[in-house]
């Protein structure tokens, strides 16, 4: 409650940060509460969290991930996605161990749909930030699997293209579509040999988020319904009648999300 209603981080709250990695490591019974606290801190002071306790939290979360039940994994993945969305530019590098876990899970392709949807969303955000880091993670996974980069990247793409039609949320489908469109510029043989399925999945995502523009009678144009300000885009707040400082921070992050700031059709055409 204190974190949710705090406008700016106080010295007292900042001084509590070093305790969080140990609490996470020893707190499997209270994992949900601890992850929520870290997530609230990430939204409150993302740069400070990333630079001070980021590496320690990521190390603990990555090491415990394989031992968690699905609910625990979901919590860690939601924290990871929030961190990528709200964190400073160096966030993907700090999260690298968790991102490698995400990439490995997609490569394996056996997780159930809710987990896979989050895995693919996190990878999409990584790709939109840095093709290079995504490629480096593929190289690391290839080394661990005694394989090569193209085989690993190809398997990841095959799982992605197979699972994407099962992703239900329009926001996530648009995010995945944006990342696929971004990959079209790489001219990688992994992408070029799958270009038909990539374009098919992008087209289906476009169909999901495009609707007639009813704001001007008789014009008959089409709009991206997830763009901020278009009415259909629901930005993440728990109770619109009572918005805490935490809710305001979530809203601010959502307003900067490519899902709500980039028109998918225009982005595809510009690739």
């Amino acid at each position: 409650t204190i974190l949710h209603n705090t406008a700016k981080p106080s010295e007292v709250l900042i001084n509590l940060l070093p305790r969080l990695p140990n609490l996470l490591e020893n707190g499997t019974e209270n994992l949900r509460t601890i992850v929520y606290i870290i997530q609230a801190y990430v939204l409150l002071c993302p740069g400070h969290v990333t630079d001070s306790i980021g590496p320690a939290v990521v190390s603990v979360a990555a090491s415990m991930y394989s031992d968690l039940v699905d609910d625990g994994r979901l919590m860690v993945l939601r924290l990871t996605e929030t961190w990528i969305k709200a964190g400073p530019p160096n966030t993907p590098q700090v999260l690298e161990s968790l991102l490698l876990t995400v990439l490995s899970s997609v490569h394996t392709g056996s997780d159930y749909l809710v987990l896979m949807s989050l895995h693919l969303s996190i990878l999409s955000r990584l790709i939109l930030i840095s093709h290079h880091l995504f490629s480096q993670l593929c190289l690391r996974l290839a080394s661990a699997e005694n394989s090569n980069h193209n085989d690993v990247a190809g398997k990841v793409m095959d799982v992605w293209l197979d699972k994407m039609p099962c992703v239900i949320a329009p926001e996530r489908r648009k995010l995945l579509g944006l990342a696929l469109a971004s990959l079209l510029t790489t001219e990688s043989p992994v992408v070029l040999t799958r270009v038909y399925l990539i374009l098919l999945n992008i087209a289906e995502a476009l169909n999901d988020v495009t609707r007639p523009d009813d704001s001007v009678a008789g014009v008959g144009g089409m709009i991206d319904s997830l763009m901020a300000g278009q009415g259909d885009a629901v930005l993440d707040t728990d109770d619109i009648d009572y918005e805490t400082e935490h809710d305001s921070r979530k809203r601010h992050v959502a307003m900067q999300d490519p899902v709500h700031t980039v028109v998918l059709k225009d982005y595809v055409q510009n690739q």
Side-chain angles (χ1 to χ4, degrees), residues 3 17 20 35-50 53 57 79-88 91 95 246 249 253:
L3 288 170
L17 275 174
L20 293 179
V35 169
Y36 281 171
I37 290 171
I38 296 172
Q39 188 163 304
Y41 265 110
V42 166
L43 290 170
L44 176 64
C45 46
H48 198 94
V49 172
T50 302
I53 65 167
V57 168
L79 170 62
T80 303
E81 186 175 29
T82 297
W83 210 330
I84 289 179
K85 290 164 64 177
T91 298
L95 294 177
H246 179 73
R249 289 188 282 271
V253 169

Side-chain angles (χ1 to χ4, degrees), residues 156-216:
V156 168
M157 289 305 304
D158 288 339
V159 172
W160 184 323
L161 296 169
D162 179 58
K163 301 294 185 181
M164 184 169 167
C166 301
V167 175
I168 297 171
E171 294 83 359
R172 296 204 180 279
R173 290 182 57 74
K174 178 180 176 179
L175 178 62
L176 270 57
L178 287 168
L180 289 178
S182 171
L183 288 173
L184 292 174
T185 64
T186 64
E187 298 185 358
S188 161
V190 172
V191 173
L192 294 177
T193 55
R194 296 164 175 82
V195 70
Y196 170 75
L197 284 175
I198 289 173
L199 290 173
L200 179 63
N201 275 277
I202 292 173
E204 290 177 349
L206 266 171
N207 288 334
D208 290 337
V209 303
T210 303
R211 64 168 174 81
D213 184 359
D214 299 325
S215 61
V216 182

Side-chain angles (χ1 to χ4, degrees), residues 6-28:
T6 298
K8 294 181 180 179
S10 65
E11 185 177 350
V12 172
L13 289 175
I14 292 297
N15 288 340
L16 292 175
L17 275 174
R19 301 184 183 184
L20 293 179
N22 286 336
L23 288 173
L24 181 64
E25 187 171 18
N26 299 313
T28 52

